[in-house]
Every structure is written in structure tokens, then in C-alpha cells.
């Protein structure tokens, strides 16, 4: 029902934009320099070869390695420790208004000449929240009781996720603002798409690696089976 409702809202709003919003012909910039797919890829390679772009791509491809495990694995580990999946899903609901408001607030700080300053300032706080997420997972079995988890535990989880959203959106909006600022208007679409794609890739590959490394890095103990480490999935199942 939740997905159906927001799917309907999405369809209605985008349809209204398509029919009611008209482009201002006077403000349309000069035509982009690309004519087809071949020209676009040639242009992309010429952009990538620029030293400043290469340095920036390396920065955003590696900047999210430090908190990839906390972002990708915390929810899974909380479920593993007994937190019901439906409760975690419900905790995401209070985040929706926060996710709408945060970009509006943060955009005031990224509108200046140095939008990446916000990115740099948010990073250490997001790294610290990764440690705090680890403590949340460690704390879960200690407060669990027969009826589930106490209300104060959920309150701490919601507060932690809210603070995490502040740091996440600070970095996200700052990167978007920087990409928009440095993109050449004549090739704005190509330039912006390239930088945003690299930025998205910089968030996705560390999360994938973190999920892949969960099993090899997890220490397990076998109850009632001396000398066995349960290191493999088959051994753990036995």
C-alpha cells in the first residue's frame, strides 16, 4: 500500500509537470556541442583526461570507503540480532520529512563559491556515526528481552539514523552543487552526467565490497563442536 500510494503520487506529479510546465524559450542556452553518441563519448574521454577531473574522480571514488560497511551492513546485522524487519522499515518513515527538508537547508551552505567545504566538514561526523552504528549492533543483544526491544533502544536507533541522514545529505548536496558549478554550460548534460555517475559509483562499489567481505571477516563459534570454526556456509549449517 505504501509503495502503491507513492507510485501514484509520482505518476500524477510527473504527468502534471509534463503538461503544465512550459520551458522559458528566452533562457535556453546555446545548443550543446554534441550531435550523436560517438561525439558524446569522444567528449566524455576528453573531459576524463583533464588532470583536475581525474583527481576529482579519484577523490569521489574512494571518499566513501570509510563508512561503506556501516551504511550497507548495519541494518542487516540489527535484523540478525533480532530487531524485526518491519520495525526497521517503520523507523524509516520519520526519515521521509527529514529527507525532504535537509536538501533545502543544506543548499544554503553549498550555494557559495566553495560547496565542497560542506562535504569535508560532514565526513568526520559520518565516520564517527559508523562507530556508533557498530555500538548499536553490539548493544542490541544486551537490551533484548522476551517482548522484543525496549522503546528507548528504538529511540536511540531513530536518533542515530536521523544524524546519519544529516551527514549523508550534507555530502550528497555538496557534491551535486559542486558538479553543477564546475560543469561547462555548453556540454552541461554530458559533464553533469559523467560526474554524477562517478559519484554514484563511488558510493556503490564500497558497499558491494563491504557486503562481500561480511562472511570472510565474521568470527563464528560452533556450540558443541570442538575444533570447528564454522568458517564456511556449509560448516555453519552442519
Amino acid at each position: 500500500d505504501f509503495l502503491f500510494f507513492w507510485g501514484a503520487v509520482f505518476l500524477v506529479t510527473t504527468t502534471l509537470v509534463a503538461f503544465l510546465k512550459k520551458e522559458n524559450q528566452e533562457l535556453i542556452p546555446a545548443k550543446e556541442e554534441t550531435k550523436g553518441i560517438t561525439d558524446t563519448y569522444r567528449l566524455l574521454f576528453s573531459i576524463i583526461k583533464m588532470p583536475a577531473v581525474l583527481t576529482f574522480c579519484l577523490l569521489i571514488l574512494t571518499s566513501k570507503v570509510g563508512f561503506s560497511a556501516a551504511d550497507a551492513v548495519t541494518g542487516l546485522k540489527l535484523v540478525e540480532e533480532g530487531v524485526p524487519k518491519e520495525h526497521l522499515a517503520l523507523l524509516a518513515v520519520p526519515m521521509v520529512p527529514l529527507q525532504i527538508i535537509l536538501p533545502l537547508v543544506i543548499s544554503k551552505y553549498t550555494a557559495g563559491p566553495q560547496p565542497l567545504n560542506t562535504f569535508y566538514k560532514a565526513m568526520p561526523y559520518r565516520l564517527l556515526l559508523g562507530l556508533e552504528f557498530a555500538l548499536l549492533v553490539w548493544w542490541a543483544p544486551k537490551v533484548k528481552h522476551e517482548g522484543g526491544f525496549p522503546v528507548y533502544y528504538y529511540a536511540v536507533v531513530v536518533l542515530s539514523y536521523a544524524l546519519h541522514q544529516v551527514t549523508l545529505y550534507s555530502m550528497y548536496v555538496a557534491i551535486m552543487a559542486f558538479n553543477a558549478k564546475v560543469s561547462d554550460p555548453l556540454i552541461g548534460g554530458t559533464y553533469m552526467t559523467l560526474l554524477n555517475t562517478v559519484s554514484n559509483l563511488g558510493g556503490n562499489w564500497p558497499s558491494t565490497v563491504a557486503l562481500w567481505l561480511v562472511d570472510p571477516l565474521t568470527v563464528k563459534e560452533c556450540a558443541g563442536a570442538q575444533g570447528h570454526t564454522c568458517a564456511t556456509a556449509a560448516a555453519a549449517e552442519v
Side-chain angles (χ1 to χ4, degrees):
D1 290 345
F2 181 82
L3 290 173
F4 180 81
F5 173 77
W6 287 110
V9 169
F10 182 83
L11 286 171
V12 170
T13 50
T14 48
T15 304
L16 287 173
V17 168
F19 284 109
L20 302 179
K21 177 67 180 171
K22 302 299 179 187
E23 295 290 346
N24 189 340
Q25 297 297 326
E26 295 174 7
L27 297 178
I28 293 176
K31 193 177 179 182
E32 289 197 4
E33 291 179 353
T34 54
K35 294 178 181 178
I37 293 174
T38 309
D39 288 341
T40 303
Y41 277 100
R42 279 205 197 100
L43 187 59
L44 278 174
F45 284 119
S46 65
I47 294 168
I48 290 171
K49 285 190 288 186
M50 294 165 64
V53 174
L54 268 176
T55 305
F56 179 64
C57 287
L58 282 172
L59 166 73
I60 55 180
L61 277 173
T62 55
S63 61
K64 296 177 183 176
V65 170
F67 29 76
S68 57
D71 289 3
V73 185
T74 300
L76 299 173
K77 285 295 175 184
L78 286 175
V79 170
E80 195 177 283
E81 294 295 347
V83 179
K85 281 183 281 188
E86 56 271 22
H87 288 185
L88 278 180
L90 280 173
L91 294 179
V93 175
M95 298 298 119
V96 174
L98 190 66
Q99 289 166 352
I100 295 169
I101 295 164
L102 276 174
L104 298 173
V105 175
I106 295 163
S107 61
K108 294 178 183 177
Y109 300 96
T110 57
Q114 296 178 313
L116 279 185
N117 282 352
T118 307
F119 182 93
Y120 297 136
K121 287 174 184 174
M123 183 176 276
Y125 295 104
R126 194 169 170 188
L127 288 168
L128 286 171
L129 280 168
L131 291 174
E132 203 257 342
F133 279 2
L135 286 172
L136 274 180
V137 175
W138 172 81
W139 191 30
K142 301 187 183 304
V143 295
K144 187 180 178 183
H145 50 72
E146 288 184 8
F149 290 84
V151 175
Y152 65 82
Y153 182 77
Y154 287 117
V156 173
V157 172
V158 169
L159 180 62
S160 302
Y161 271 88
L163 291 171
H164 179 261
Q165 290 295 313
V166 173
T167 59
L168 187 151
Y169 273 87
S170 295
M171 295 179 72
Y172 175 76
V173 174
I175 281 285
M176 291 298 115
F178 180 80
N179 290 351
K181 194 173 186 65
V182 299
S183 296
D184 186 339
L186 286 176
I187 50 171
T190 308
Y191 216 126
M192 277 284 289
T193 303
L194 171 66
L195 295 179
N196 289 347
T197 302
V198 175
S199 180
N200 291 334
L201 187 61
N204 291 335
W205 80 261
S207 296
T208 305
V209 172
L211 287 167
W212 182 73
L213 287 173
V214 168
D215 260 358
L217 295 178
T218 299
V219 178
K220 300 171 186 173
E221 292 178 8
C222 293
Q226 296 297 325
H228 293 276
T229 59
C230 295
T232 63
E237 191 176 339
V238 171

